[in-house]
Amino acid sequence: MTDQDALFQFLLRMGDNTLVLGHRVSEWCGVSPVLEEDIALANTALDMIGQTQFWLGLAGEVEGKGRSADDLAFLRDVWDFRNVLLVELPNGDFGQTLMRQFLFDAWASTMLGRLMYSSDKRVADIAEKASKEVAYHVERSADTVVGLGDGTPESHAKMQAALDLLYPYVGELFESDAVDAAMVSAGIAPDPASLRDDYDTLIKRVLSEATLNVPASKFTHKGGRTGYMHTEHLGHMLTQMQWLQRAYPGATW
């Protein structure tokens, strides 16, 4: 029998990752370097918010307390979010945003590929739908990383700096705990650690084409998924994201 609380926590993790990163990416709307990138990033953000609707919608069903995806997105406090720290970091410059997107997309494409074979049909169905979007996301972010990394000396230096900054946060994507163990036992999701080899193969191929050096450090910033060590950046972001619902509870239009 599936541990319903563990399943709920797993679904929150999946939904919070896409929710937080989707909001971060949306912050480029209207201020991207060129119009084409403005539209591309807006579409990426919309895709991720759409995936959030699926993950948090199912989480609300599993919880059984009548909370909708919107309730879970807008009415939880910062310590109740279960996203990894990577996705809540500030955008920085354009290169840093695209490097963060690539590092996450590479993980998402690997995870969703496994979740398509989940023993829980609802999870498998969401993964199948999301994987089609993520296949495009990872192709686009990888191409951009290569283009900027193997571009001018200035763009190369900025992309290397972005990788040096963000890579230490990657380790958290592959940490396992009791929730993961319960998902593995039920056949719902893979052990995060089992994704690492495929992930490393993908990112090292792309970063090699981008003439970027993978940092030696694999220091893990633990805590985001368990909700006790979010950075101040998430609190500031939620203040913006949740303002309307907090100011006008239950408002509809």
Side-chain angles (χ1 to χ4, degrees), residues 36-248:
E36 183 179 358
E37 290 299 335
D38 200 295
I39 295 171
L41 286 171
N43 285 334
T44 297
L46 286 171
D47 286 346
M48 300 189 82
I49 298 303
Q51 293 166 28
T52 299
Q53 185 75 31
F54 289 130
W55 292 122
L56 294 188
L58 181 54
E61 292 179 25
V62 169
E63 184 188 35
K65 295 182 179 180
R67 290 200 287 181
S68 67
D70 284 349
D71 293 333
L72 291 171
F74 297 122
L75 300 180
R76 282 181 295 153
D77 286 312
V78 62
W79 48 80
D80 292 323
F81 276 71
R82 297 295 182 262
N83 58 279
V84 293
L85 297 180
L86 174 68
V87 300
E88 69 187 55
L89 298 177
N91 288 328
D93 59 28
F94 181 72
Q96 182 174 315
T97 292
L98 265 295
M99 179 60 75
R100 181 189 61 195
Q101 189 68 39
F102 169 64
L103 294 174
F104 179 81
D105 289 343
W107 172 83
S109 65
T110 306
M111 172 61 91
L112 292 173
R114 301 283 188 89
L115 290 180
M116 288 171 62
Y117 301 97
S118 173
S119 63
D120 189 313
K121 188 177 184 303
R122 299 168 299 177
V123 171
D125 287 346
I126 294 174
E128 183 175 4
K129 293 175 184 176
S131 65
K132 298 173 183 177
E133 296 174 340
V134 172
Y136 168 73
H137 292 174
V138 71
E139 180 181 1
R140 178 181 177 275
S141 60
D143 286 348
T144 308
V145 166
V146 171
L148 293 174
D150 193 29
T152 66
E154 181 181 2
S155 70
H156 173 84
K158 287 187 175 182
M159 293 307 286
Q160 186 64 59
L163 180 59
D164 292 344
L165 173 68
L166 298 170
Y167 187 72
Y169 290 88
V170 165
E172 187 184 3
L173 292 165
F174 306 99
E175 290 291 315
S176 302
D177 62 8
V179 169
D180 297 303
M183 293 299 94
V184 172
S185 177
I188 293 175
D191 182 344
S194 71
L195 306 177
R196 187 75 204 230
D197 287 345
D198 288 345
Y199 179 86
D200 284 346
T201 298
L202 172 56
I203 68 164
K204 287 178 179 178
R205 175 181 59 79
V206 172
L207 295 176
S208 176
E209 292 179 28
T211 67
L212 298 171
N213 297 316
V214 179
S217 172
K218 288 189 178 180
F219 176 71
T220 301
H221 293 251
K222 296 186 67 175
R225 299 194 311 157
T226 53
Y228 62 80
M229 197 197 285
H230 286 297
T231 69
E232 70 275 12
H233 305 303
L234 181 62
H236 178 70
M237 195 205 80
L238 291 183
T239 298
Q240 297 175 321
M241 188 181 79
Q242 297 180 336
W243 180 86
L244 185 63
Q245 186 58 243
R246 300 285 184 150
Y248 303 97

